[in-house]
Amino acid sequence: NAGVTQTPKFQVLKTGQSMTLQCAQDMNHNSMYWYRQDPGMGLRLIYYSASEGTTDKGEVPNGYNVSRLNKREFSLRLESAAPSQTSVYFCASSGYEQYFGPGTRLTVT
Amino acid sequence: AQSVAQPEDQVNVAEGNPLTVKCTYSVSGNPYLFWYVQYPNRGLQFLLKYITGDNLVKGSYGFEAEFNKSQTSFHLKKPSALVSDSALYFCAVRDTGFNDYKLSFGAGTTVTVRA
């Protein structure tokens, strides 16, 4: 039982490059989430998926897209990375409480 | 709209002393409340939650929290802090008045326990 897994752990991009962050959970949860964590700002919700086949915007969706591939997997895509997207990204899934992955540390230069 | 405030950026205590991390919330319906802990370069770990019932909830690692509806607070407490409790703590709320599962997080409180 791995819980929530994320890949990659670290990534450096140049401005304008694209990438996809992968997330998978093995807890049979319906709901999954993508957050970004910036110093002094806590966690801010980017997108979430209440169930397979549905996605909704969170607080800070601009510059991101998501895909709920199946019940287990929820990916986050940056189409054209910007320095403002330098952050640590966390995926989570939930029953009552949310369970978090280990995070992806992204730097955009 | 739901929101959480953690009024202290940092809390410093000596090992063996009581530890309190403060949290207040705002919701339109009834709250589900959560505490998470984050160690350096790690994801968030669930500590405890209040859904309904007893206002005093007990969680992992000897932590507890008290739900106070009149003061809209959910403070995290530990009777005797350990150096290993040094970490970043987040309070979170879900408003049950809305039919979704989103949590709102506070900005976090850094706890330092000195030996």
Side-chain angles (χ1 to χ4, degrees):
Chain A
N1 189 338
V4 180
T5 57
Q6 291 182 237
T7 56
K9 285 186 167 42
F10 301 94
Q11 184 72 46
V12 178
L13 293 178
K14 295 186 189 304
T15 297
Q17 288 185 318
S18 62
M19 77 163 296
T20 299
L21 283 65
Q22 307 286 355
C23 173
Q25 54 97 4
D26 61 4
M27 294 174 282
N28 202 35
H29 287 152
N30 285 321
S31 301
M32 297 185 72
Y33 312 80
W34 277 105
Y35 294 92
R36 59 179 288 171
Q37 183 180 23
D38 301 292
M41 303 190 74
L43 275 75
R44 292 182 292 168
L45 183 64
I46 304 171
Y47 271 93
Y48 70 104
S49 171
S51 61
E52 186 179 353
T54 69
T55 60
D56 286 285
K57 296 178 180 179
E59 296 175 68
V60 289
N62 292 343
Y64 305 95
N65 284 301
V66 291
S67 296
R68 182 75 182 265
L69 304 170
N70 48 55
K71 192 170 187 178
R72 290 187 64 248
E73 297 173 288
F74 188 38
S75 63
L76 178 72
R77 183 160 178 84
L78 287 69
E79 290 291 351
S80 178
S84 60
Q85 294 178 304
T86 293
S87 189
V88 181
Y89 291 85
F90 289 101
C91 176
S93 70
S94 74
Y96 273 119
E97 61 263 24
Q98 293 189 9
Y99 295 89
F100 286 80
T104 295
R105 191 172 295 273
L106 175 66
T107 302
V108 183
T109 61
Chain B
Q2 60 193 33
S3 65
V4 168
Q6 293 180 242
E8 298 161 318
D9 291 337
Q10 294 198 20
V11 170
N12 299 303
V13 297
E15 189 172 36
N17 281 1
L19 170 62
T20 298
V21 186
K22 295 179 180 177
C23 171
T24 59
Y25 66 89
S26 174
V27 295
S28 57
N30 291 315
Y32 289 172
L33 292 154
F34 306 84
W35 276 102
Y36 289 84
V37 61
Q38 185 180 32
Y39 298 101
N41 300 313
R42 303 286 296 274
L44 276 70
Q45 296 179 31
F46 169 75
L47 276 179
L48 51 79
K49 66 178 182 282
Y50 171 82
I51 302 294
T52 187
D54 194 347
N55 289 344
L56 184 64
V57 294
K58 294 185 184 297
S60 307
Y61 312 121
F63 283 94
E64 58 188 30
E66 185 164 13
F67 171 62
N68 187 318
K69 189 171 184 178
S70 63
Q71 297 187 4
T72 62
S73 67
F74 189 58
H75 301 331
L76 181 70
K77 299 181 181 182
K78 187 170 184 179
S80 178
L82 301 171
V83 171
S84 56
D85 294 327
S86 298
L88 181 58
Y89 290 79
F90 290 99
C91 182
V93 67
R94 176 189 156 194
D95 189 342
T96 61
F98 292 91
N99 189 26
D100 62 36
Y101 300 88
K102 293 185 291 186
L103 295 184
S104 293
F105 286 83
T109 298
T110 299
V111 170
T112 302
V113 182
R114 60 187 184 276

